[in-house]
Each structure stands twice: as C-alpha cells, then as structure tokens.
Amino acid sequence: QVQLVESGGGSVQAGGSLRLSCRRSSHTYDSNCMGWFRQTPGKEREGVAVINTGDGRGYYADSVKGRFTISQDDAKNTAYLQMNSLKPEDTAMYYCAADTPPCTVTTLTMAYMYKGQGTQVTVAS
C-alpha cells in the first residue's frame, strides 16, 4: 500500500503562483503515474496533470497547459506541480493521485490506485 502525502496550496491573488508537492511512501510500479486532479463542491472531478515517473513525461489538461508544470524528484519519490498565472477558476481542492502506467490525465482522475488527503487552493480575483 502506497501512501501519498501532500503539501503546498493556500490562498493567492489572481496571477500569482503556488507549488504543490506529493511524496509517495514507496516506489512501486502501480504508482508510477503521479499527478493531480481537482474538485469543487457540486462539480465533477477535473484532471489537472500527470507525470510518468519512469520517463519524466508530463501530460496536462487543456485548461492548465502553459500555466502549470509537473515535475519530479525521483530520489525523493516526490512529484511537484508548479502553478503559475493562477485564475479564480483554479480554486478547488487538489488531490494528488497515483496510478499504473500508461499515464493519462483521464485515467489518473477516474481510476487512480492511490489518493492523497487533498490540499485547498484558493485564488482571489
């Protein structure tokens, strides 16, 4: 069983930046896709980004392309989500998740193997 521990998040003005971190407790094949999805009350879960920790390739939802960057520190078993040019519509609870390759934002969001506790991101206009 893999545990995902998230950190980061908080409140920021529109146009600002935040960075989320997600550390997994062990390096397992079924957690080699790491990423985030987000959710707000009354709305469907929305995928954000995923990284294949095997080859370092990142994939993004159209809504965050060009603004968010996902990366990893393999030695630390940690994935990062750098969020720039934040908009009020980015406000949500962000959940780190992990899944088995192949890695896509959709499968990570809808069929993850592991999920973190979530961290709130609030962007004020």
Side-chain angles (χ1 to χ4, degrees):
Q1 186 76 4
V2 173
Q3 306 294 324
L4 300 176
V5 179
E6 301 183 58
S7 60
S11 297
V12 68
Q13 293 289 320
S17 299
L18 288 171
R19 189 176 83 155
L20 305 182
S21 300
C22 177
R23 180 178 59 81
R24 57 177 168 171
S25 58
S26 57
H27 191 144
T28 62
Y29 180 73
D30 67 357
S31 66
N32 269 358
C33 301
M34 294 182 70
W36 280 264
F37 62 85
R38 61 191 182 187
Q39 193 159 25
T40 56
K43 292 187 177 181
E44 288 188 3
R45 197 183 300 169
E46 181 187 10
V48 177
V50 63
I51 187 167
N52 184 324
T53 61
D55 61 18
R57 291 185 179 182
Y59 305 89
Y60 300 90
D62 288 343
S63 59
V64 306
K65 277 181 183 176
R67 300 188 298 122
F68 292 11
T69 302
I70 192 167
S71 62
Q72 63 166 340
D73 184 331
D74 201 39
K76 295 182 179 179
N77 270 342
T78 300
Y80 303 97
L81 185 69
Q82 178 66 42
M83 305 184 292
N84 298 330
S85 302
L86 282 161
K87 305 174 181 180
E89 50 264 44
D90 294 317
T91 295
M93 183 70 80
Y94 283 69
Y95 293 93
C96 176
D99 196 18
T100 306
C103 307
T104 72
V105 173
T106 299
T107 56
L108 182 89
T109 301
M110 304 308 294
Y112 56 83
M113 289 290 292
Y114 307 102
K115 182 172 73 75
Q117 78 277 14
T119 186
Q120 179 68 36
V121 171
T122 302
V123 184
S125 57

